[in-house]
Each structure stands twice: as structure tokens, then as C-alpha cells.
């Protein structure tokens, strides 16, 4: 063990200072051996003497971290580049804004996560500002004050850079609103809330000004905006009213949403419950109201139905209306011929369309699911093994698994139509006795299945599952090259190396404050109330990336139960 550490220390020194290897060669030659040189570089070779492939991972969020945690094949040399040297458990950020959970409890240093791995992983705290797919290089800039630039080569590139906040180019948002995307954002919000209370408590402040300072506006009725509004309401009603009794009557929380309801992506029962609860709690819910301008003290909104403009004076505004593509990814999309798209497109194996050896996952990309109707003739030809021009039921059944594997929309369509197999789909077109089917009948039977193609939501669940999937592909790259396990290639010969990515939805939560949570679990099972809150606690505790953060989060929850939240403005 001791010698291994010594070896590791040497090799790390040499990797960090490549010029030292020259001295080692001279030293070794003069000492009568060249072995030392090969030892100095052995980290670049796998255990059968092949040069290790260099994998560059951009980002340490849900997608990048899940990829790194699951990568087990030591034949890669991994370089991670990210402006933040930690992983952040974003679902708990709304809790960080009011001190229900501390910021350090929801982050884990990326070096801690990768240190026990058998795979060589190096980390650089820097941001990538350009990807050159032709030269296989990424251009990076240190996030430190020197802003030093450097270039990194790759064999495989994993783009997991997430997304930025979408302001929809609304004037004044960037200058005047706070976001809730990163840990620093949550910390800023926490300071700002207390700042507003302290300023409003000063003796020379007028009541109008007090009212403005204690008007908190949340823009966006999605899960993040709703959860933040609920956390803020709990903080005010459980802790701050006792500490700031003179100003408590001036506090108002407003939630603005452009569509007619909040939590649109949830079951209707959850939306109704959440809206009613917010009304009961005194949270001012303004739906059908779009923000058109934000000045330093006022937010202007336009009522969608009437076009009427009104203004709301505010003390703090939090903007949480969704995500957009990062500029570096937009530039990359132009370079690879995806300029006409809004989001970077990959195929079902997470490979960026129009490139080789570049993968993209998480919020920065979307899977461009191939449509059945684009390939329908090729599918028919492949299935028609005897080239008779018609498909027998046997021929069809032989191809069914590959069709369903390659085009998941087929299975979704069957499920929605309560059909047990694809043969039922043919029966629908041809009647009960199906013996043979022509190309036109085949087309007509499958003509509606593409209506089931949907984009995956931009969630941690999707990003993490994609990271795990891609790591699994990398772990078995050589094996699957020799023995492909994916579906038949309908347009070419052979099989795909891997099965395409499949997303498994495990359900979603919407914490609504007052120890009540709405849970929508697979099979449209809905549960709302205190029992779901306990489910939420246990799921989020179990999903922590380390025992360290798990124990910190649980102890923060207990601290909050016993002592309340801390309102110091540090
Ligand atoms: P991120 O997690 O955003 O990671 C992106 C990474 O890329 C970061 O490390 C970043 O520093 C790095 N990066 C950025 N720019 C560069 C660059 N130029 N070069 C290199 N690296 C770069 N989802 C759920 O499923 N459930 C929830 O309850 C939930 N709650 C949420 C609450 C909040 C407040 C927020 C903001 C999001 C929430 N989400 C939730 C969504 C979830 O966090 C995202 O979908 C998820 O983070 C996406 O993962 P990602 O890896 O693609 O991006």
C-alpha cells in the first residue's frame, strides 16, 4: 500500500509536470535502465498495454456526476472541467434560501466523489468556452482571477453543462431579479430576505416603504417557484413574525404565473390543492399575468386576457421561469450544423447529432427520437426476410422486439390503447384474422405511433439516469463492440452496439409548505399532505450522494424542528 502511494505520488508529479519525464529518461539511461520512462507514462496505458482513451467531462452537475460515479472501466483517462468543484443537490436549494438546510449540507466536493475510484480522474476548475469538434479539442478558461486559458484534447467528450436561466429577454430582469439556480443564488436570497426585514425595521422608514420592502415577488409557478414561495411563507410565519413583530403585518408574498394555473406539469388534483392552500396561507397568486418589465423597485405585469398593465412595488424579486441553452453550447450547435435548433440534439444513445465521439446529457441537450414513419419502408424490408413483398405474422413477430427497442413510442402507443402486443395493432387495421400484411397496411397500422414521441423533462432524474446509462455504455464499450446488444440497424447492416437510453419516471414531489407535500408517483398515484412530506424526507435523505451530506441534511432538519431557522445575516 505504501509503495503504491509513493508510486501514485510520483506519477501525479510527472503528470502535473510533464517536462520532468525528460530528466527521468536521462537519469534512467545513465543508470543503465529505460524502464523508468515507461513507468512514468504507464498511467496512460491500460493493463493490456493499450493507450488509454481520454474522456473529457464538462460539468459536475447531476448528469456529469452520475456519469463519473458510475464509470468503472479503468481503461479511460478522465479529465473533468467545471467552474464549480462540487456537486450540488439542487432539489434542496429552495430549503437553503431560508436556512431550513445549510448550503454546505447540500454540496459534495467532486474530488471527494471521485477519489476512491479505480479510474484515473483529474479535475480542473475552469469553464469551457469553445468546443472544436473537428480538432477534438475543448478550450477552457480558469474561473480564478488570472482567467488563464488552456486547451484540452479528447477522444470522447461528455457535455453535461446544464442550462442557464431563461429571462425571455424581459427588460430589467438580469439587473434587478435574483435567480434560484445555483447554491450562490440560494445564499443571496437568504441574505436578501433578512436584509429586507432589517431595513424595514429601521425607525425612519415610512409605512409605504416598509410595505414595498416586505413585498416578496416570485415569478414562475413551476415546481421551483412554488416550492420557494412555500418555504418563504413558512420562514416568515414560523420564525420571522416572532423576531420582527413590529413589521409582520407589512409582509406579502406574491407568486406570478403567465399561464392559468401553477404546477402545470402535475396532476390537476395537485394544482387545485396547491392553489387553494396558497389562498388559505395568504400567498397572493396572480395567474394569467406576464411580467413585462422589472425596474429596481417595481415589477410591471400584463394581464394576458385583458392586456392591462399593472405595477407591483417590491423588496425582493426571484425569477424562476425555466431554462435556456448556454452561449457556449449555442456556438457549438452552429459549428456542427444545428444552428436552427433551440436545444442541442442527440440521438437515442446520447451521441450529439452531426459529430463523432461527443455525447451530451442532462439539461443541455434533448434526445431527437427517430420517428417510425421516417424508417417505415426500411423496417418493412428488414422484417420481410423472404423478400416476398408481404409480411407474415411470424416474420413480423421476429422483428417486434427490435422495433420496440429502437422506437419506444410503439410501446407507449400500445399502452395508451390498452393493447397487449403489436399484433393487436395490425388486427385493428386488418380485422381479427391476420396472416399476411402488405407494406401499405403496415404503414397504416403504425401511422399514429409517432404521436407518442415526447421530450424528457429537464430534471435531475433524467440527467442522473442519462449519466448512469452513458457510464454503463463506456464500461462495456469493447465488449459491445464485439458483441453488439442493441436493436437491428434498420437502415444499415448489423446491430447497434447498445440498447438506446430509456427513461424510467420514478415520480415527482411538490413541497407546499406547512409540512405538506404533493407526490405524484408512477401510475398517476397522487398523494397530498403530511404523509407525503415524510415520504419526501426519506426519499431526499436517501438520494444524497454521500453519508456526509445525508447526515448533515438530516441534522439540519432536526435542528430546524427544535430551534427554528437561523435569521442571522452573514
Ligand atoms: P446542472 O446540474 O445544472 O450541472 C451543470 C454543470 O455544468 C455544473 O457543474 C456547472 O458548473 C457546469 N458548467 C456550466 N457551464 C460550464 C462550462 N462553460 N464549462 C464546463 N462546465 C460548465 N429536478 C428534479 O428532478 N427534482 C427536483 O426536485 C428538482 N428541483 C430543483 C430545484 C431547483 C432550485 C433547481 C434549480 C433545479 C431543480 N431540478 C430538480 C432540476 C435539476 O436540478 C436539473 O434538471 C439538473 O440539475 C440538470 O442536471 P445537469 O447535470 O444537466 O445540469
Amino acid at each position: 500500500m505504501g509503495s503504491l502511494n509513493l508510486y501514485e505520488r510520483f506519477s501525479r508529479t510527472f503528470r502535473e509536470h510533464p517536462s520532468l519525464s525528460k530528466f527521468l529518461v536521462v537519469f534512467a539511461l545513465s543508470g543503465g535502465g529505460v524502464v523508468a520512462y515507461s513507468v512514468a507514462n504507464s498511467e496512460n496505458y491500460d493493463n493490456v498495454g493499450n493507450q488509454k482513451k481520454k474522456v473529457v467531462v464538462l460539468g459536475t452537475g447531476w448528469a456529469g456526476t452520475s456519469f463519473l460515479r458510475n464509470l468503472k472501466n479503468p481503461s479511460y483517462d478522465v479529465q473533468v472541467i467545471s467552474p464549480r468543484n462540487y456537486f450540488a443537490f439542487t432539489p434542496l436549494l429552495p430549503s437553503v434560501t431560508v436556512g431550513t438546510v445549510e448550503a454546505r449540507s447540500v454540496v459534495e466536493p467532486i474530488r471527494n466523489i471521485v477519489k476512491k475510484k479505480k479510474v484515473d480522474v483529474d479535475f480542473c476548475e475552469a469553464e469551457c468556452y469553445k468546443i472544436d469538434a473537428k480538432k477534438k479539442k475543448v478550450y477552457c478558461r480558469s474561473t480564478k482571477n488570472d482567467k488563464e486559458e488552456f486547451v484540452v484534447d479528447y477522444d470522447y467528450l461528455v457535455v453535461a453543462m446544464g442550462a442557464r436561466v431563461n429571462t425571455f429577454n424581459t427588460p430589467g430582469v438580469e439587473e434587478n431579479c435574483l435567480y434560484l439556480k445555483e447554491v450562490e443564488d440560494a445564499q443571496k436570497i437568504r441574505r436578501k430576505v433578512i436584509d429586507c426585514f432589517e431595513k424595514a425595521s429601521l425607525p425612519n422608514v415610512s409605512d409605504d416603504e416598509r410595505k414595498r420592502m416586505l413585498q416578496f415577488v416570485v415569478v414562475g409557478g413551476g415546481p421551483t417557484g412554488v416550492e420557494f414561495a412555500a418555504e418563504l411563507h413558512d420562514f416568515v410565519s414560523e420564525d420571522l413574525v416572532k423576531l420582527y413583530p413590529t413589521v409582520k403585518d407589512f409582509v406579502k408574498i406574491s407568486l406570478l404565473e403567465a399561464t392559468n394555473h401553477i404546477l402545470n406539469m402535475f396532476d390537476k388534483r395537485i394544482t387545485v390543492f396547491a392553489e387553494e392552500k396558497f389562498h388559505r396561507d395568504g400567498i397572493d397568486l396572480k395567474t394569467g399575468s406576464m411580467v413585462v418589465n422589472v425596474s429596481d423597485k417595481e415589477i410591471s405585469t400584463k394581464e394576458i386576457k385583458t392586456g392591462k398593465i399593472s405595477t407591483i412595488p417590491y423588496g425582493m424579486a426571484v425569477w424562476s421561469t425555466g431554462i435556456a441553452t448556454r452561449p457556449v453550447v449555442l456556438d457549438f450547435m452552429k459549428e456542427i450544423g444545428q444552428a436552427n435548433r433551440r436545444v442541442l440534439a442527440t440521438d437515442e444513445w446520447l451521441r450529439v447529432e452531426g459529430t463523432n465521439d461527443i455525447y451530451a446529457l442532462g439539461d443541455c441537450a434533448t434526445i431527437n427520437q427517430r420517428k417510425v414513419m421516417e424508417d417505415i419502408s426500411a423496417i418493412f424490408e428488414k422484417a420481410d426476410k423472404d423478400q416476398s413483398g408481404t409480411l407474415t405474422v411470424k416474420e413480423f413477430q421476429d422483428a417486434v422486439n427490435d422495433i420496440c427497442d429502437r422506437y419506444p413510442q410503439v410501446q407507449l402507443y400500445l399502452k395508451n390503447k390498452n393493447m397487449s402486443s403489436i399484433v393487436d395493432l395490425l388486427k385493428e387495421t386488418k380485422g381479427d384474422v391476420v396472416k399476411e400484411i402488405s407494406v401499405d397496411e403496415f404503414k397504416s397500422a403504425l401511422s399514429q405511433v409517432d404521436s407518442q414521441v415526447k421530450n424528457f423533462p429537464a430534471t435531475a432524474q433524467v440527467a442522473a439516469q442519462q449519466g448512469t446509462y452513458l457510464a454503463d455504455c463506456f464500461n462495456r464499450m469493447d465488449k459491445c463492440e464485439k458483441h453488439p446488444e442493441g436493436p437491428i440497424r434498420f437502415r444499415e447492416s448489423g446491430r447497434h452496439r447498445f440498447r438506446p437510453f430509456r427513461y424510467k419516471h420514478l415520480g415527482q414531489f411538490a413541497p407546499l409548505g406547512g409540512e405538506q407535500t404533493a407526490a405524484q408517483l408512477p401510475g398517476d398515484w397522487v398523494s397530498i399532505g403530511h404523509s407525503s412530506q415524510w415520504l419526501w424526507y426519506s426519499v431526499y435523505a436517501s438520494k444524497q450522494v454521500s453519508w456526509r451530506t445525508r447526515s448533515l441534511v438530516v441534522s439540519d432538519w432536526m435542528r430546524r424542528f427544535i430551534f427554528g431557522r437561523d435569521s442571522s445575516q452573514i
Side-chain angles (χ1 to χ4, degrees), residues 59-63 82-83 90-91 128 160-162 180 362-363 458-461 540:
T60 49
W62 279 95
S82 176
T90 48
C128 160
M161 286 193 264
L180 181 45
D363 284 2
T459 61
Q461 248 187 87
Y540 280 12

Side-chain angles (χ1 to χ4, degrees), residues 374-384 407 490-492:
E374 284 169 343
D375 293 344
I376 194 84
S377 306
I379 298 172
F380 189 89
E381 258 173 54
K382 267 275 159 69
D384 183 16
Y407 309 95
F490 286 106
R491 287 173 163 268
E492 297 145 47

Side-chain angles (χ1 to χ4, degrees), residues 57-65 81-94 126-129 140 159-163 180-182 223-224 227 320 323 326 328 361-365 457-464 466 503 507-509 511 536 540:
V57 181
L58 301 177
T60 49
W62 279 95
T65 304
I81 295 161
S82 176
R84 65 179 208 216
N85 77 347
Y86 57 84
F87 164 79
F89 193 87
T90 48
L92 287 180
L93 286 185
E127 60 172 356
C128 160
Y129 64 88
C140 307
V159 184
M161 286 193 264
L180 181 45
K181 185 88 180 64
E182 306 286 340
T224 303
E227 189 178 343
S320 172
I323 53 170
R326 289 189 190 280
V328 53
L361 43 160
D363 284 2
C364 70
T459 61
Q461 248 187 87
V462 173
Q466 289 183 331
Y503 170 57
Q508 53 190 346
F509 290 107
W536 182 88
Y540 280 12

Side-chain angles (χ1 to χ4, degrees), residues 56-77:
V56 173
V57 181
L58 301 177
T60 49
W62 279 95
T65 304
S66 154
F67 174 78
L68 292 169
R69 289 179 77 200
N70 289 286
L71 189 67
K72 296 192 179 83
N73 188 338
S75 64
Y76 297 109
D77 188 6

Side-chain angles (χ1 to χ4, degrees), residues 472-491:
D472 187 48
C473 293
F474 271 68
N475 289 340
R476 296 177 308 117
M477 192 83 87
D478 288 342
K479 187 178 157 221
C480 293
E481 195 75 63
K482 288 179 200 132
H483 309 287
E485 60 180 38
I488 285 178
R489 292 174 191 269
F490 286 106
R491 287 173 163 268

